[in-house]
Amino acid sequence: MTIVMEENKPNNIKKFLNFEFSSEEEKEAFIESSETYSEYKDIIELFENVKSVDYDKDGALEKLDHARLKPSVNKKRVIPWQKKWLPMYVAATVVLFVSVVLFNIKNNLEHHTLAGEFTQISLPDASKVWLNAKSDIAYNKKWEKSRAIDLKGEAYFEVAKGETFTVKTPQGTVTVLGTKFNVKQRHTSFEVYCYEGRVSVMYNGKETILSANNFFNSKALDKHIQTTTSVAAKPHWIEKMSVFENTSINDVVSDISIQYDVEFNMNNNLNKDLKYTGSYHYDDALETVLNILCESLDLKYVKKGKSIYLNKK
């Protein structure tokens, strides 16, 4: 990119970046009158906040100085190139880093939800995303070039037909052309449920193809592909409900903690293989949810602030 400087002020940007203005008045005059400053305002102001880069110049160059050029016969002083150019190199590196950060910030769109929240997002191609509680997605503004989303947490997708649509999570990747599916990535768990069409799931370097009413569970010991007998048009959480069918106690309390922003502590004597079948609505009071859970599994609980302590009766 060519930077066009104001007439008679070719060194102003350089002076600004090197903090060489003779006074605050000169600096303010440059900021108010400079078109160049306005064009690169974000990068210049971020660079100004850096002020100076701390580095041990003498220590870093100690070994290099041993190999510096010896003075010539006429005793003319030779300045080692490292000392002459390293500060400028460091400054240039900072500018480049700031530029890259600004580029990514300006070209990415992000959506976040807190505990107990969920939201619906419409994508540029008319695809729709429902984002569950405590989840994050990010994608590039130039959506037409690559239909790709980064996901942490849980989201349900209704994908418009078109080019390949990819959902990337820290544990696996889901690829489709046009379909309806749910992706859940929590801690060490990775699940994909296909509601319509077909989806490709890439996990640990192995591809698995799911068709409608099939789901993938990374925790399954015998096989990853499973079929459900419960046919639903969408995930229950979109209707503000969590439904469990012979679900481990760990997964149940994890789900409750996400919706109610609490932390569970289970006594060491508690059977971690307990399974729970039931449901709750997100509008239910936390105490109601806990009472039903404990009554079903013969447990008791103590609530202290945002901590829930579970134990056997």
Side-chain angles (χ1 to χ4, degrees):
M1 176 183 295
T2 301
I3 302 178
V4 181
M5 306 295 292
E6 293 88 339
E7 187 178 2
N8 300 324
K9 295 183 180 179
N11 295 319
N12 280 346
I13 290 295
K14 178 181 177 182
K15 290 173 66 177
F16 187 92
L17 296 179
N18 287 328
F19 315 104
E20 294 175 350
F21 281 119
S22 59
S23 66
E24 283 297 320
E25 289 75 11
E26 183 182 1
K27 174 182 172 183
E28 291 300 325
F30 163 69
I31 292 175
E32 293 177 1
S33 63
S34 171
E35 295 180 1
T36 303
Y37 179 85
S38 299
E39 184 179 356
Y40 295 95
K41 181 174 181 292
D42 289 339
I43 293 177
I44 291 174
E45 289 187 350
L46 280 175
F47 185 88
E48 183 188 30
N49 291 334
V50 175
K51 293 298 183 188
S52 62
V53 179
D54 293 329
Y55 66 96
D56 183 2
K57 178 172 66 176
D58 293 332
L61 298 175
E62 181 177 354
K63 293 184 179 180
L64 293 175
D65 284 346
H66 286 306
R68 66 179 181 267
L69 296 175
K70 293 182 179 180
S72 59
V73 176
N74 62 9
K75 303 299 183 181
K76 183 182 292 185
R77 184 185 176 195
V78 178
I79 301 176
W81 70 268
Q82 298 93 345
K83 288 187 176 180
K84 181 178 180 181
W85 296 106
L86 185 57
M88 295 181 65
Y89 171 78
V90 173
T93 302
V94 172
V95 173
L96 178 60
F97 172 77
V98 171
S99 301
V100 171
V101 170
L102 282 174
F103 177 83
N104 288 332
I105 291 174
K106 291 181 177 180
N107 284 278
N108 280 342
L109 291 174
E110 299 179 353
H111 299 272
H112 314 277
T113 53
L114 302 176
E117 292 183 344
F118 80 89
T119 187
Q120 181 181 344
I121 301 123
S122 295
L123 299 176
D125 62 352
S127 296
K128 296 179 180 179
V129 182
W130 285 259
L131 197 60
N132 202 353
K134 297 186 76 171
S135 301
D136 307 279
I137 63 168
Y139 57 93
N140 197 286
K141 288 181 180 178
K142 297 182 179 180
W143 181 253
E144 67 280 358
K145 292 186 176 181
S146 175
R147 300 202 302 173
I149 283 181
D150 291 318
L151 167 68
K152 290 183 179 179
E154 183 173 13
Y156 168 69
F157 299 85
E158 291 188 354
V159 178
K161 292 184 178 180
E163 298 297 325
T164 301
F165 187 105
T166 304
V167 179
K168 301 176 182 178
T169 79
Q171 295 189 40
T173 301
V174 182
T175 304
V176 301
L177 293 178
T179 186
K180 300 178 181 180
F181 62 99
N182 190 80
V183 181
K184 182 178 181 180
Q185 178 272 316
R186 302 282 191 190
H187 306 295
T188 59
S189 175
F190 178 56
E191 300 177 15
V192 181
Y193 190 105
C194 180
Y195 288 88
E196 181 182 292
R198 289 162 61 87
V199 302
S200 167
V201 179
M202 186 64 68
Y203 178 77
N204 280 348
K206 181 180 179 181
E207 183 183 31
T208 301
I209 304 296
L210 301 180
S211 55
N213 297 325
N214 286 162
F215 66 96
F216 175 96
N217 187 341
S218 64
K219 290 186 176 181
L221 298 178
D222 51 350
K223 57 182 180 180
H224 291 306
I225 299 180
Q226 302 181 48
T227 302
T228 179
T229 56
S230 176
V231 179
K234 294 180 180 179
H236 293 292
W237 61 262
I238 291 181
E239 305 298 331
K240 301 182 68 175
M241 288 190 65
S242 285
V243 178
F244 309 102
E245 184 177 348
N246 200 31
T247 304
S248 72
I249 183 66
N250 284 325
D251 290 340
V252 174
V253 299
S254 175
D255 185 273
I256 296 173
S257 68
I258 289 168
Q259 298 301 334
Y260 291 90
D261 194 21
V262 293
E263 180 180 350
F264 281 85
N265 297 274
M266 293 189 285
N267 189 284
N268 291 332
N269 295 325
L270 190 64
N271 181 7
K272 303 303 190 298
D273 294 328
L274 284 173
K275 304 290 185 181
Y276 176 70
T277 297
S279 64
Y280 71 91
H281 195 278
Y282 299 161
D283 290 336
D284 293 340
L286 174 60
E287 288 73 14
T288 300
V289 176
L290 295 175
N291 286 333
I292 294 174
L293 173 68
C294 290
E295 182 178 348
S296 300
L297 299 179
D298 199 26
L299 303 174
K300 61 182 180 180
Y301 76 92
V302 175
K303 184 176 182 294
K304 294 182 179 181
K306 289 191 174 185
S307 295
I308 310 295
Y309 298 87
L310 285 181
N311 202 350
K312 296 187 298 185
K313 282 185 178 179

